[in-house]
Coordinates of all heavy atoms in Angstrom, one line a residue:
R28 N 152.4 107.3 44.5 CA 152.9 108.6 44.7 C 152.8 109.0 46.1 O 153.7 109.6 46.7 CB 152.2 109.6 43.7 CG 152.8 111.0 43.8 CD 152.4 111.8 42.6 NE 150.9 111.8 42.4 CZ 150.3 111.2 41.4 NH1 151.0 110.6 40.5 NH2 149.0 111.3 41.3
Q29 N 151.6 108.8 46.7 CA 151.4 109.2 48.1 C 152.3 108.4 49.1 O 152.9 108.9 50.0 CB 150.0 109.0 48.5 CG 149.0 110.0 47.8 CD 149.3 111.4 48.2 OE1 149.9 111.8 49.2 NE2 148.8 112.3 47.3
L30 N 152.4 107.1 48.8 CA 153.3 106.2 49.7 C 154.7 106.6 49.6 O 155.4 106.5 50.6 CB 153.1 104.7 49.2 CG 151.8 104.1 49.6 CD1 151.7 102.7 49.0 CD2 151.5 104.0 51.1
R31 N 155.2 107.1 48.5 CA 156.6 107.5 48.4 C 156.8 108.8 49.2 O 157.9 109.1 49.6 CB 156.9 107.8 46.9 CG 157.0 106.5 46.1 CD 157.5 106.8 44.7 NE 158.9 107.4 44.7 CZ 159.5 107.8 43.6 NH1 158.9 107.7 42.4 NH2 160.7 108.3 43.6
R32 N 155.8 109.6 49.4 CA 155.9 110.8 50.2 C 155.9 110.5 51.7 O 156.1 111.4 52.5 CB 154.7 111.7 49.9 CG 154.8 112.3 48.5 CD 153.6 113.2 48.2 NE 153.5 114.3 49.1 CZ 152.4 114.9 49.4 NH1 151.2 114.6 48.7 NH2 152.4 116.0 50.2
V33 N 155.5 109.3 52.1 CA 155.5 108.9 53.6 C 156.9 108.6 54.0 O 157.4 107.5 53.7 CB 154.5 107.8 53.8 CG1 154.5 107.4 55.3 CG2 153.1 108.1 53.4
G34 N 157.5 109.6 54.7 CA 158.9 109.3 55.1 C 159.0 108.8 56.5 O 160.0 108.1 56.9
S35 N 158.0 109.2 57.3 CA 158.0 108.8 58.8 C 156.6 109.0 59.3 O 155.7 109.3 58.6 CB 159.0 109.6 59.5 OG 158.6 111.0 59.6
V36 N 156.5 108.7 60.6 CA 155.2 109.0 61.3 C 154.9 110.4 61.3 O 153.8 110.8 61.7 CB 155.3 108.4 62.8 CG1 155.4 106.9 62.8 CG2 156.4 109.1 63.6
N37 N 155.9 111.3 61.0 CA 155.6 112.7 60.9 C 155.1 113.2 59.5 O 155.1 114.4 59.2 CB 156.9 113.5 61.3 CG 157.4 113.2 62.7 OD1 156.5 113.2 63.6 ND2 158.7 113.0 62.9
S38 N 154.7 112.2 58.7 CA 154.1 112.5 57.4 C 152.6 112.1 57.4 O 152.2 111.2 56.6 CB 154.9 111.8 56.3 OG 156.2 112.0 56.4
P39 N 151.8 112.7 58.2 CA 150.4 112.3 58.4 C 149.5 112.5 57.1 O 148.7 111.6 56.8 CB 149.9 113.1 59.6 CG 150.7 114.3 59.6 CD 152.1 113.9 59.1
N40 N 149.7 113.6 56.4 CA 148.8 113.8 55.3 C 149.0 112.9 54.1 O 148.0 112.3 53.6 CB 149.0 115.3 54.8 CG 147.9 115.6 53.8 OD1 146.8 115.6 54.0 ND2 148.4 116.0 52.6
P41 N 150.3 112.6 53.7 CA 150.4 111.6 52.6 C 149.9 110.2 53.1 O 149.3 109.5 52.3 CB 151.9 111.5 52.4 CG 152.4 112.9 52.8 CD 151.5 113.2 54.0
A42 N 150.1 109.8 54.3 CA 149.6 108.5 54.8 C 148.1 108.5 54.8 O 147.5 107.5 54.4 CB 150.2 108.3 56.2
H43 N 147.5 109.6 55.2 CA 146.0 109.7 55.2 C 145.5 109.6 53.8 O 144.5 108.9 53.5 CB 145.6 111.0 55.9 CG 144.1 111.2 55.8 ND1 143.2 110.4 56.5 CD2 143.3 112.1 55.2 CE1 142.0 110.8 56.3 NE2 142.0 111.9 55.5
Q44 N 146.1 110.3 52.8 CA 145.7 110.3 51.4 C 145.8 108.9 50.9 O 145.0 108.4 50.1 CB 146.5 111.3 50.6 CG 146.2 112.8 51.0 CD 144.7 113.1 50.8 OE1 144.1 112.7 49.8 NE2 144.2 113.9 51.7
A45 N 146.9 108.2 51.2 CA 147.2 106.9 50.7 C 146.1 105.9 51.2 O 145.6 105.1 50.5 CB 148.5 106.4 51.1
R46 N 145.7 106.1 52.5 CA 144.6 105.3 53.1 C 143.3 105.5 52.3 O 142.6 104.6 52.0 CB 144.5 105.7 54.5 CG 143.3 105.0 55.3 CD 143.3 105.4 56.7 NE 142.1 104.9 57.4 CZ 141.0 105.6 57.5 NH1 140.9 106.8 56.9 NH2 139.9 105.1 58.1
L47 N 143.0 106.8 52.0 CA 141.7 107.1 51.3 C 141.7 106.5 49.9 O 140.7 105.9 49.5 CB 141.5 108.6 51.2 CG 141.3 109.4 52.5 CD1 141.1 110.8 52.3 CD2 140.1 108.8 53.2
I48 N 142.9 106.6 49.2 CA 143.0 106.0 47.9 C 142.8 104.5 47.9 O 142.1 103.9 47.1 CB 144.3 106.4 47.2 CG1 144.4 107.9 47.0 CG2 144.5 105.6 45.9 CD1 145.8 108.4 46.6
A49 N 143.5 103.8 48.9 CA 143.4 102.4 49.0 C 141.9 102.0 49.3 O 141.4 101.0 48.8 CB 144.3 101.9 50.1
K50 N 141.2 102.8 50.1 CA 139.8 102.5 50.4 C 139.0 102.6 49.2 O 138.1 101.8 48.9 CB 139.4 103.4 51.6 CG 138.0 103.1 52.1 CD 137.6 104.0 53.2 CE 138.4 103.6 54.5 NZ 137.9 104.4 55.7
R51 N 139.2 103.6 48.4 CA 138.5 103.8 47.1 C 138.7 102.6 46.2 O 137.7 102.1 45.6 CB 138.9 105.1 46.4 CG 138.3 106.4 47.0 CD 138.3 107.5 46.0 NE 139.6 107.8 45.4 CZ 140.4 108.7 45.9 NH1 140.1 109.3 47.0 NH2 141.6 108.9 45.4
M52 N 139.9 102.2 46.1 CA 140.2 101.0 45.2 C 139.5 99.8 45.7 O 139.0 99.0 44.9 CB 141.7 100.8 45.2 CG 142.5 101.9 44.5 SD 144.3 101.6 44.6 CE 144.5 100.3 43.4

């Protein structure tokens, strides 16, 4: 869901959230 929200480099929050989730996994 977070990765789908990353549309460009101007989508820092979804990208950051995706990074945190991947790290948790």
Side-chain angles (χ1 to χ4, degrees):
R28 183 163 54 249
Q29 293 296 340
L30 288 174
R31 289 185 64 182
R32 293 176 58 200
V33 180
S35 68
V36 293
N37 297 318
S38 309
N40 189 58
H43 177 64
Q44 292 302 318
R46 175 178 172 272
L47 293 179
I48 295 169
K50 187 175 288 189
R51 283 201 304 268
M52 293 176 72

